Amino acid sequence: MSFRDTLDFLLYDWLNVETLTARERFADHSRETFTSVFDTCERIAREKFVPFNRLADTEEPHFDGERVVQPQAAHDAAKAFVESGMLAAAQDAEMGGMQLPCVIEMAANSFFSKASIGLGGGAMLTSGNANLLMAHGTEAQKDVFAKNEFSGRFFGTMCLSEPQAGSSLSDIVTRAVPDGEGAGSDPLGPRYRLRGNKMWISNGEHELAENIVHLVLAKIPGSDGQLVPGTKGISLFIVPKKLVDTDGALTGERNDVALAGLNHKLGYRGIPNTLLNFGEGKYPVRGGAGAIGYLVGRPGDGLRNMFHMMNEARIGVGLGATMLGYAGFEASLDYARQRPQGRPVAVGGKDASRPQVPIVQHADVRRMLLAQKAYCEGAMALALQCAHLVDEHHTGDAAAAAEAGLLLDMLTPIAKSWPSEWCLEANSLAIQVLGGYGYTRDYPVEQYWRDNRLNMIHEGTHGIQGLDLLGRKVVMDGGRGFALLASRVEATIARAKARPALAPFAESLAGTWAALAKATQAAWSTGVPEEALANATPYLQAFGHTALAWVWLDVALTAHAAPDSDTARGLRQAAQFFFRYELPKVPAWLAVVESRDDTCRQMQEAWF
Amino acid sequence: MSFRDTLDFLLYDWLNVETLTARERFADHSRETFTSVFDTCERIAREKFVPFNRLADTEEPHFDGERVVQPQAAHDAAKAFVESGMLAAAQDAEMGGMQLPCVIEMAANSFFSKASIGLGGGAMLTSGNANLLMAHGTEAQKDVFAKNEFSGRFFGTMCLSEPQAGSSLSDIVTRAVPDGEGAGSDPLGPRYRLRGNKMWISNGEHELAENIVHLVLAKIPGSDGQLVPGTKGISLFIVPKKLVDTDGALTGERNDVALAGLNHKLGYRGIPNTLLNFGEGKYPVRGGAGAIGYLVGRPGDGLRNMFHMMNEARIGVGLGATMLGYAGFEASLDYARQRPQGRPVAVGGKDASRPQVPIVQHADVRRMLLAQKAYCEGAMALALQCAHLVDEHHTGDAAAAAEAGLLLDMLTPIAKSWPSEWCLEANSLAIQVLGGYGYTRDYPVEQYWRDNRLNMIHEGTHGIQGLDLLGRKVVMDGGRGFALLASRVEATIARAKARPALAPFAESLAGTWAALAKATQAAWSTGVPEEALANATPYLQAFGHTALAWVWLDVALTAHAAPDSDTARGLRQAAQFFFRYELPKVPAWLAVVESRDDTCRQMQEAWF
């Protein structure tokens, strides 16, 4: 079976995404139009991305003093992506979009991520940026900025972190002050001057598009000139690299945004990662220093507006991690089928006079391949399910939409964190399958592993996801999200119990879910956040494995009901692997959560 | 506490290595002489290794057509190491050695591994090579080759793998045929001509020493000209890059050994890794093609002789992995103490107006640091214990020596594999502590992670270690090794039960050990190797975590009995972490072993 077979199975057999075409918004679509989108993306990825993935790593972006230089392949890949129309895939037809469901858009983008996460990532940032403007911008902001991003004329960034404020966004110190006369009546939005430094900005400087639209978090000082501590004082601004008029045409003025440096990364090198200085006066504009920016939404709503798109962004990160895992799975499977080495173990030892066998025949190699399959296809199923919930949230009826939103809040920390951890492990297993060859740069697997290591860090670290899940999501609204998810899990368990081959797995999941619920309660039983949250990361891991077991059980139900095929058998075997080899890992993580283990809290700095 | 404090505690308080000085071989030594060796190594590592670790990565070895070029720092580091006398640390005084115990030699070498595994690794290969000649070579071979390696005039390699024979050494096809007239009466040993290709040869070509002494596995054809299948036909040869006379002086003849290529690795770049062609005629010598080699030991004993030193070599790999982990632990601890970010969680949320705190104060960061400490110091304790067993094996009375040998056989697969897996995980946690900064090449942690990924591959992959442990070690001699190890574990448990603070951990270990023994029996209960060994890797992981729990319990006993200090408290807390967070992982691995789970065996290639 192939990636495409698996994708089709999950979309059409498992999620029944074709039923979405009955909805008004997607009425012009059919399985055929989806197929055509996938064909196009698969082809572009094969032609413009796959062959240049290594090049994007070895020729990392550099600054020649004036411009960020990237290989021609990066330009070609960006151009091909833009021409595919995928930047506006989910947008209204009147915005130049295809009105595709989110689940189809994400599935289509996965071809690019699998082919080259570095070459594909920048374009996806742009649609995230433009989507945010569609949600919170004025009509002018949508027309001038978002529309030009959807068409690929402009590319976008998200500027949150600062050198002293990474995970702790409440500590940002970039300032925005009204830009003198007429500041309040600019047709592009209330006009400010920004000053500050932003760190870890992907695609912060490049030559792949005509302009760069920075979305920047900054604080507007109070009447005393002081910044408000915490996240409440944060506002959101559009800061274009080059100023534009109300038609979106470049005015010829360079804004006061300067590249302060490129970060030299372990992997993910296809995308320039930058430190940007806003408003330091390197490019004085309209009479002085200060980067010109236009307020988006209301003052003080910046973080909330930025986080409006956070679920989709985080699902996207998870799917990117998944596709890196999948790329390694494919490479190591291909190698294992071709590489002769060793002989089967047997009673009486091995017969050295017989020819060597392909290593895929060794049980331990199959274990490593099956683990990769279980991690990557499970993560893929979860990501697609979450994307489908986004569609449900946007186009379902009121009750379904609300439920989908609540489920998304619960599942997003998992959809982001779980693939970041386990598809990275998949990449390590891919290296191991190739042995010494896997450790060389002549094979692609070591790069996937390096690229994937980023995903536990950006868009909210693993630790932050754990705090979000245990500290907010499971307790919000009296635990309504947790209860809703539980009802979905129970429904799957009930269906699986009726099928003898799956009944034992249903029992396992029921037991594990009950243990998770008990540990969740025990964690919060004293009401002391330090005690509850000291083991938020093990909780995230336990929750993740349990949620994936649920996804696998649900997929297995479909695979058992489907006509017999290699695809269905492979999914059933992967589900079995997950229940036998992976789900039993959960009790170890839950034990410390349930006991509110204080080993780490009590550890003193001097003892390290 | 510092690395040195931990090392001293483990050596003197826990292992009581000072008592070794009562033995005749070590009679000239004392704690003071050990300290002096450590001081020297620590200083050289600080001055000649630490500052150049990144350089060894960025300026990887390259071939200029004639020579392998490495940065000056590699030459300086090798020279300093040679001058330290560490190459001959464990040798007899009459060989120019220091007669240090193995445990002190390994501890001393750990300073270099921690400082720069790449710059330090080559020298250690040399002493392994020379040790092998001391065990199996003739007097002339010892004098001409080993002695010049101990003095650092020559460096050594081990040439086992071939492009088509990595883990499966029985499939090597390098041939050795007697070298014409006088072949049998060469003073350097029976003389042969070798022809074949060797892959993955570390330090196979370089300019750091006057000559390179290759130890090469090859097959001597039978009278029918055919190679004997399997490992029985393998013999061991000395193949010097440059020929030497019986005084060890270079004769001016270049042997027919040619560099076919350098491997470009993910990490560990300080050591050139080569593909070597033996005898292809690139450097005809003494009238023709064929690399001249001298047989070591008897024909057909090659693999056995090569593996004679395998325990020590594998413990060395494990200790190298451990030191990479430790280097990351130190770097991330240092960062965590200095980096302000965020505020403590508390009832009612965080007060954003208060200053940020160093991240070491966050429980999740402490968890990541404590996990690193538990992995690295546990692995260090195990490696030192194994090295101590080597001393016992060599210098203890007959009964003790035999027991030590048996324990070494049991523990070596763990000493090699466990740090390769878990100190790699430590390196990943170090990256995570640093967040985005950890993902950049401006900090050392990403390099440690890349370097460490090799250790699960070379010197016997993880899969090979698992087969060795479950397929050979636990069943050999009717399970005598397993029973002996069990008695040692039980002794520790009995002592710990008498101490209230440790009694719960003693109970946990007793339960886990019993489960391990039960699963071991169940795995072999059908007597079918395919069934027993299908889950040899999960068995290795379960055995490893259990063995480490035993080591930690034993260390904790000493730490509880010792005078109160930060060092002792830190070790006690790390032990507690291991029992609370790590040991509970064992049942998940054992479950598939005990049930002889066939999920992987039954997986069909077409289903992937």
Side-chain angles (χ1 to χ4, degrees), chain B residues 140-141 143-146 148 153-154 186-188 191 210-213 238-255 285-286 292 294:
Chain B
Q141 290 172 340
D143 268 358
V144 171
F145 298 106
N148 278 308
R153 234 190 104 207
F154 302 167
D186 196 295
L188 295 179
R191 200 177 63 236
E210 215 176 299
N211 200 2
I212 303 175
V213 180
I238 298 169
V239 183
K241 174 183 168 186
K242 300 172 184 170
L243 296 182
V244 297
D245 64 20
T246 51
D247 293 327
L250 304 186
T251 64
E253 299 159 298
R254 164 96 196 222
N255 203 355
V285 58
R286 295 186 188 166
I292 291 175
Y294 308 98

Side-chain angles (χ1 to χ4, degrees), chain B residues 264-283:
Chain B
H264 297 101
K265 293 174 289 180
L266 167 58
Y268 229 108
R269 293 186 190 151
I271 304 183
N273 187 274
T274 63
L275 173 60
L276 296 179
N277 288 348
F278 287 85
E280 63 171 0
K282 180 156 183 190
Y283 301 102

Side-chain angles (χ1 to χ4, degrees), chain A residues 40 64 70 88 117 150 175 203 259 266 285 444 465 488 553 557:
Chain A
T40 302
D64 71 2
Q70 292 178 270
I117 195 85
F150 288 131
R175 284 171 173 260
N203 253 3
L259 179 69
L266 167 58
V285 57
Q465 300 300 324
R488 297 293 175 100
L553 189 60
L557 274 163

Side-chain angles (χ1 to χ4, degrees), chain A residues 192-211:
Chain A
Y192 286 74
R193 291 277 185 161
L194 279 73
R195 287 179 179 78
N197 312 113
K198 290 290 177 180
M199 186 66 169
W200 311 121
I201 310 309
S202 287
N203 253 3
E205 182 62 64
H206 59 80
E207 301 291 322
L208 303 183
E210 215 175 302
N211 199 1

Side-chain angles (χ1 to χ4, degrees), chain B residues 284-366:
Chain B
V285 58
R286 295 186 188 166
I292 291 175
Y294 308 98
L295 181 69
V296 179
R298 288 180 310 187
D301 279 357
L303 203 64
R304 183 157 35 128
N305 291 346
M306 182 68 98
F307 274 48
H308 176 89
M309 305 301 298
M310 194 47 83
N311 280 347
E312 286 166 61
R314 289 182 170 171
I315 296 163
V317 167
L319 193 53
T322 304
M323 288 304 112
L324 279 167
Y326 213 101
F329 171 49
E330 287 182 338
S332 61
L333 177 57
D334 186 53
Y335 181 88
R337 284 177 162 149
Q338 300 186 26
R339 168 75 172 174
Q341 188 82 174
R343 294 163 187 83
V345 290
V347 179
K350 301 171 187 176
D351 180 356
S353 67
R354 298 187 53 188
Q356 299 198 72
V357 299
I359 62 172
V360 72
Q361 293 187 27
H362 300 311
D364 195 52
V365 172
R366 281 194 216 159

